[in-house]
Amino acid sequence: MLYPNKIKKENKHVPVSHANRGMDLEKLINDANSYYLNNDIAVIYKKPTPIAISMVDYSKSNPEVKGLFNQKSTLDYVGLYKGKYLDFDAKKTLNKTSFPLSNIHYHQLKHIERIINHQGIAFLIIEMNNKVYILKGETLLEFINQDQRKSIPYSYIEENGYIVNFKYNPILDYLEVLEKIYFKEGALWKK
Amino acid sequence: MLYPNKIKKENKHVPVSHANRGMDLEKLINDANSYYLNNDIAVIYKKPTPIAISMVDYSKSNPEVKGLFNQKSTLDYVGLYKGKYLDFDAKKTLNKTSFPLSNIHYHQLKHIERIINHQGIAFLIIEMNNKVYILKGETLLEFINQDQRKSIPYSYIEENGYIVNFKYNPILDYLEVLEKIYFKEGALWKK
């Protein structure tokens, strides 16, 4: 990430962007998950980073591990809310007009499709233009199947996604939005 | 693991045990999960081993990682079957008469309790006496709450667990047993 101050020093004419300052989407989600766990609302956690372990040094009391990053085959978060299986990823783009689909790997799309087929809830939490949206897995797959485009226009996300407004505690109460999308009968269900 | 042949050479008087030969519970579960995924029956996977990464060497094209094992706060496997959230662990004991509860950590019990409270399915797959049993999370918690014992007698597992018989494909078709326990109305439900 480029820090505005550093850019300033190197090139005075580069506009200072606030887009990449302050909000840390992953931290907000983790904070919300802690809140949900501590208040017995849901059990949602980040999956550990998969590492292919090549060496373990057992000479130490707490063995040291060496390895390589493994490609993730699923999404970052998994959880349970009101008996429903949740599986989702957090994605951020600094692009203001469209969300590049290169952010999502083929095997992740496949995973989303499987989760939906087996009656789970799959979605993305997208940070874009300093706003946070929930985009249903169904909506994402529909867009990709219809338009063979390389990115999703921001207007599409604005129209078909659901905005997550910031509040006091947790700041990013995305379950409140999921509740409206998936759990309130009739409300915002779009199958 | 000690191989019987090696033991024989070193000490002729050590009885050859077949208990730790052949069956690899984790492999059987992974094979079953691959079968379920490939046949579009369920989406169940092993959670990656949590590693607290202390160093990443970006000088290589595939960055090398160093770190320490993190204690697991949940169970080993998570998944989705017929709209239901599954969360379980595989446990093996060579003890023939009882299953030592030291195999299960307090935070794992807490996790099982949370999953059940939020209407998920939590259980253990236990290998003991060359047999494989499913023990419902509810049954496990009930035993622990009633008897302040350090182990579960084998007879209790035989009576209150559900045996998973071996078959051709997948060899350890534990979903077939879950189906009877949790999904067939009335059948084997014990709440």
Side-chain angles (χ1 to χ4, degrees):
Chain A
M1 200 204 281
L2 293 170
Y3 291 96
N5 286 343
K6 205 174 172 195
I7 296 170
K8 260 184 153 175
K9 271 183 203 163
E10 281 161 19
N11 183 344
K12 281 189 173 175
H13 300 287
V14 170
V16 175
S17 160
H18 292 264
N20 55 355
R21 204 196 254 180
M23 180 153 47
D24 177 342
L25 184 58
E26 191 176 310
K27 188 180 179 309
L28 290 178
I29 294 172
N30 291 343
D31 287 350
N33 292 345
S34 295
Y35 180 87
Y36 298 143
L37 193 69
N38 296 335
N39 291 277
D40 205 25
I41 294 167
V43 186
I44 306 168
Y45 45 92
K46 191 165 189 296
K47 297 174 197 165
T49 305
I51 289 168
I53 296 170
S54 57
M55 200 277 296
V56 180
D57 179 0
Y58 284 109
S59 69
K60 293 164 188 168
S61 66
N62 194 357
E64 198 182 70
V65 181
K66 264 191 193 172
L68 300 172
F69 288 118
N70 247 352
Q71 184 147 54
K72 288 206 179 188
S73 58
T74 60
L75 308 181
D76 266 353
Y77 297 88
V78 68
L80 171 64
Y81 174 58
K82 290 189 177 174
K84 279 291 194 182
Y85 175 100
L86 312 180
D87 211 317
F88 61 99
D89 221 307
K91 302 280 186 191
K92 175 181 179 154
T93 181
L94 295 177
N95 192 316
K96 289 182 186 308
T97 54
S98 65
F99 176 82
L101 286 169
S102 56
N103 276 325
I104 310 167
H105 301 288
Y106 172 76
H107 56 251
Q108 293 187 314
L109 291 174
K110 192 73 205 154
H111 185 73
I112 289 172
E113 195 177 33
R114 281 184 174 128
I115 297 306
I116 294 168
N117 284 346
H118 291 285
Q119 303 152 58
I121 293 176
F123 59 94
L124 298 181
I125 297 185
I126 295 177
E127 180 190 334
M128 194 171 172
N129 289 324
N130 281 328
K131 288 181 181 150
V132 176
Y133 295 89
I134 285 178
L135 192 67
K136 288 173 63 175
E138 290 88 341
T139 310
L140 175 70
L141 295 179
E142 202 177 283
F143 178 88
I144 289 172
N145 287 332
Q146 283 177 1
D147 294 79
Q148 300 294 319
R149 293 163 74 173
K150 288 190 174 167
S151 62
I152 308 175
Y154 182 57
S155 60
Y156 187 88
I157 292 172
E158 276 187 301
E159 275 165 38
N160 298 281
Y162 300 90
I163 201 159
V164 186
N165 291 313
F166 299 117
K167 43 178 273 193
Y168 178 63
N169 203 359
I171 293 170
L172 196 75
D173 191 4
Y174 64 91
L175 274 188
E176 188 185 56
V177 180
L178 286 188
E179 177 74 32
K180 285 181 199 152
I181 305 176
Y182 293 100
F183 292 84
K184 289 254 163 57
E185 216 183 335
L188 291 168
W189 262 111
K190 292 183 194 171
K191 184 92 190 191
Chain B
M1 200 203 282
L2 294 170
Y3 290 97
N5 287 344
K6 207 176 171 194
I7 294 171
K8 261 183 155 175
K9 271 184 206 164
E10 281 163 15
N11 182 346
K12 281 187 175 175
H13 299 288
V14 170
V16 175
S17 161
H18 291 265
N20 54 355
R21 203 197 255 176
M23 177 152 52
D24 177 343
L25 184 60
E26 190 176 311
K27 187 180 181 307
L28 290 178
I29 294 172
N30 291 341
D31 287 352
N33 291 346
S34 296
Y35 179 88
Y36 298 143
L37 193 70
N38 295 336
N39 290 278
D40 204 24
I41 294 166
V43 186
I44 305 169
Y45 46 91
K46 192 167 189 296
K47 298 173 198 167
T49 304
I51 289 169
I53 296 171
S54 57
M55 200 277 294
V56 180
D57 179 0
Y58 284 109
S59 69
K60 294 163 189 170
S61 67
N62 193 356
E64 198 181 69
V65 180
K66 263 192 195 173
L68 300 172
F69 288 117
N70 247 352
Q71 183 144 55
K72 289 205 179 186
S73 59
T74 60
L75 308 181
D76 266 354
Y77 297 88
V78 68
L80 172 64
Y81 174 58
K82 290 190 176 173
K84 278 291 192 182
Y85 175 100
L86 311 179
D87 209 316
F88 61 101
D89 220 308
K91 301 281 186 189
K92 175 181 177 153
T93 180
L94 295 176
N95 192 316
K96 289 182 187 306
T97 53
S98 65
F99 177 83
L101 285 170
S102 55
N103 276 325
I104 310 166
H105 300 290
Y106 172 77
H107 57 252
Q108 293 186 313
L109 290 175
K110 192 73 204 155
H111 185 72
I112 289 172
E113 195 178 33
R114 281 183 174 129
I115 297 307
I116 294 168
N117 284 346
H118 291 284
Q119 303 152 58
I121 293 175
F123 58 94
L124 298 181
I125 297 186
I126 295 176
E127 180 190 335
M128 194 171 172
N129 289 324
N130 281 327
K131 288 181 179 149
V132 175
Y133 294 88
I134 284 178
L135 192 67
K136 289 173 61 175
E138 289 88 342
T139 311
L140 175 69
L141 295 180
E142 202 176 282
F143 178 87
I144 289 171
N145 287 334
Q146 284 177 359
D147 293 79
Q148 300 294 320
R149 292 163 75 173
K150 287 187 174 169
S151 62
I152 308 175
Y154 182 56
S155 59
Y156 188 88
I157 292 172
E158 276 186 301
E159 275 166 38
N160 297 282
Y162 300 90
I163 200 157
V164 187
N165 291 312
F166 299 116
K167 44 179 272 193
Y168 179 63
N169 204 358
I171 292 171
L172 195 76
D173 191 4
Y174 65 90
L175 273 189
E176 188 184 56
V177 181
L178 286 189
E179 177 73 34
K180 285 180 198 153
I181 306 176
Y182 293 99
F183 292 85
K184 288 256 163 54
E185 216 184 336
L188 292 168
W189 262 109
K190 293 181 192 173
K191 184 93 189 186

